[in-house]
Amino acid sequence: MSFINYSSREINCKIVYYGPGLCGKTTNLQYIYNKTNPEAKGKMISLATETERTLFFDFLPLSLGEIRGFKTRFHLYTVPGQVFYDASRKLILKGVDGVVFVGDSQVERMEANIESLDNLRTNLAEQGYDLDKLPYCVQLNKRDLPNSAPLEELTDVLNPTKVPQFEAVATKGVGVFDTLKAVAKLVLTELKRGS
Amino acid sequence: MSNQLVMYEEELQQISAICDVLQRDSNAKAVLVIDKNGQAMAHSGEVEHLDVTSLSSLTAGNVAATGGIAQLLSEKEFAGQFHEGEKTNVHISIVGARVIMVVLFDERSSLGLVRLRVRKAAAELTHVLEVLVKKSEAGNQPSVFAEITDDDIDNLFND
C-alpha cells in the first residue's frame, strides 16, 4: 500500500523480493546498498540467523529522485526463503506495491523455484492480491554458474505471463539495478493508472 | 490499487499536535505514529538521533508478527506491547486498526502514566484517521498522479 504524503511531498512504496532460499534476494539488496549514494539510502537492516540466513526480513529504504516536486521513496524488503518461514513471508507481503521474483538458475533448484512461485501466488491471494495484476518482475539469478538451466526453459516455467524479466549475477551486480528500476517504474505507472 | 494511504497537510498538523501533547503530558522522550505497513507518519520529541525510518519498519514488523501470534491463539490482536530496556522503554499500541503509536520513555515517566495518556491520545487519533480515510476515499482531492506524465516516470530512471 503506497503512502502519499502531500505535506512532506513524498510518495512511499513497498517492493518485496521473493524467491526460494539462497536464490540471492539479500544479495540484491546488499548490492543496491553498496552502490547507492549515502544521501539516497537509509540503513540496511537484516534480521538474520547466526549463519546469515534471513530470519524475518531485510529492509532497505531508498530514494530514487523527484517527480514533479515529490520525492519517491521505495522501501525494499526481502522475505525469508526457507520453506518453514511461511508465516513470516505472509506478513511481509502485507501492503506490497510491487514484487520481484528472484529465481535461482541452477538446474537442481528448479523445483524450489516452482514451489516458491506457487507459494507467492497463494500468499498474495490470501492478502487479496492477484500476482497478474500487481507490478511484477522476474529476475533469473546466478546466470554465471555452469549448472544453470537454459534461459528458455526457465522463462517457460517461471515467467509464463511474460512480465519484464532480467538475467542476473547479483553477487557482481549484473541485472540488479535493471530489475529494481523496472519494478519501480511499474509501481509508479500503476499508481498513476489508479489515480 | 486500493487502500492507498494519503496524508494531507491539515490532518498531519492534527496528528502532530496529538503527538506533541502526548509527548509532553506523558513526559516521554519521543512519540511516533507509524502506518501498519511501516511508513513513518508523524513524530514528536527527541527524534534527532533516532533512525525513524528503520524504527518504523521494525516496529511494523514486530506488530505484524505479534498479530500473527494473536491469530494463532484465536485472539483478534494484541492491542498493546511494552518493551523494557535499561534506559529506554517502548510502549507500542495499535490505533484505529490502521496505525501504530510508539512512545519512547525513560525514568522521567512510568508505564502507568504512558498508558493513561496513550488512551486519551488514541481516541483523538482515531477520530482524525477516520476523517483522513473518508477524505482520501472521497477522491475529491487533487491527486499528484493526475499531473505526472509517463515521461516524468521515464525521466526518473534515465541514467
Side-chain angles (χ1 to χ4, degrees):
Chain A
M1 183 180 69
S2 56
F3 173 38
I4 319 286
N5 191 333
Y6 283 89
S7 183
S8 57
R9 299 184 74 76
E10 284 178 6
I11 300 165
N12 296 276
C13 308
K14 175 175 180 176
I15 292 172
V16 175
Y17 283 69
Y18 212 93
L22 297 173
C23 69
K25 302 174 288 295
T26 301
T27 309
N28 263 271
L29 258 63
Q30 277 167 343
Y31 188 83
I32 294 165
Y33 180 80
N34 290 335
K35 293 291 176 186
T36 308
N37 293 330
E39 61 273 17
K41 68 186 175 191
K43 199 175 159 190
M44 178 166 165
I45 288 174
S46 287
L47 302 178
T49 66
E50 285 178 3
T51 52
E52 296 195 357
R53 300 298 302 271
T54 303
L55 176 64
F56 194 4
F57 58 78
D58 304 304
F59 168 70
L60 174 60
L62 204 63
S63 297
L64 286 187
E66 287 194 12
I67 299 183
R68 301 254 168 159
F70 273 74
K71 296 182 200 105
T72 57
R73 294 188 192 278
F74 287 83
H75 285 185
L76 311 184
Y77 285 82
T78 67
V79 297
Q82 293 177 87
V83 174
F84 55 88
Y85 288 132
D86 198 38
S88 304
R89 277 194 292 279
K90 288 180 190 178
L91 297 176
I92 294 151
L93 284 176
K94 282 185 181 178
V96 67
D97 293 303
V99 177
V100 174
F101 180 81
V102 181
D104 189 327
S105 293
Q106 298 177 91
V107 172
E108 53 270 37
R109 295 299 286 161
M110 195 59 117
E111 208 170 313
N113 285 328
I114 295 168
E115 192 182 347
S116 178
L117 190 55
D118 284 347
N119 179 253
L120 170 62
R121 267 191 193 281
T122 309
N123 284 345
L124 280 172
E126 273 187 34
Q127 312 279 347
Y129 295 105
D130 179 350
L131 182 60
D132 297 327
K133 290 178 182 158
L134 266 181
Y136 170 52
C137 291
V138 171
Q139 181 188 82
L140 302 173
N141 194 22
K142 308 194 187 183
R143 293 305 298 156
D144 58 333
L145 295 186
N147 54 342
S148 60
L151 189 62
E152 299 74 33
E153 197 178 310
L154 284 165
T155 306
D156 283 349
V157 178
L158 301 179
N159 191 8
T161 53
K162 302 282 183 286
V163 296
Q165 172 178 301
F166 301 89
E167 292 185 74
V169 183
T171 48
K172 293 178 182 152
V174 177
V176 170
F177 276 98
D178 293 335
T179 312
L180 172 65
K181 283 179 182 179
V183 73
K185 195 170 164 182
L186 287 176
V187 167
L188 292 173
T189 307
E190 176 64 23
L191 281 171
K192 177 173 163 46
R193 199 186 64 80
S195 69
Chain B
M1 199 156 293
S2 63
N3 286 328
Q4 185 182 89
L5 185 64
V6 180
M7 177 67 75
Y8 301 103
E9 183 72 40
E10 188 183 355
E11 281 73 22
L12 184 66
Q13 279 182 6
Q14 290 170 358
I15 294 171
S16 296
I18 293 169
C19 289
D20 288 343
V21 171
L22 173 61
Q23 190 254 329
R24 194 187 62 220
D25 288 355
S26 63
N27 285 337
K29 286 167 80 172
V31 173
L32 308 176
V33 173
I34 300 162
D35 156 44
K36 257 189 158 181
N37 294 312
Q39 309 278 5
M41 294 167 71
H43 52 72
S44 179
E46 304 162 23
V47 294
E48 307 82 41
H49 304 296
L50 284 178
D51 181 347
V52 172
T53 308
S54 300
L55 198 58
S56 302
S57 166
L58 286 172
T59 304
N62 186 348
V63 166
T66 310
I69 295 171
Q71 278 193 343
L72 290 176
L73 299 176
S74 304
E75 284 284 333
K76 191 176 158 217
E77 64 180 12
F78 294 122
Q81 291 183 47
F82 172 57
H83 300 301
E84 188 173 4
E86 278 186 17
K87 288 180 185 161
T88 303
N89 309 305
V90 186
H91 183 276
I92 298 171
S93 47
I94 301 171
V95 179
R98 182 133 201 182
V99 303
I100 302 162
M101 185 175 258
V102 181
V103 181
L104 307 179
F105 64 99
D106 56 19
E107 76 284 349
R108 289 173 291 177
S109 185
S110 69
L111 178 59
L113 179 64
V114 169
R115 289 179 76 159
L116 182 72
R117 301 302 189 201
V118 161
R119 208 171 299 155
K120 181 169 177 285
E124 291 170 5
L125 184 56
T126 302
H127 176 68
V128 176
L129 290 171
E130 281 169 1
V131 173
L132 183 63
V133 168
K134 271 186 198 155
K135 198 167 169 179
S136 175
E137 283 174 355
N140 49 15
Q141 303 291 323
S143 165
V144 54
F145 289 100
E147 290 178 16
I148 290 175
T149 64
D150 290 342
D151 286 344
D152 289 332
I153 296 175
D154 282 337
N155 289 338
L156 187 64
F157 299 103
N158 287 341
D159 290 322

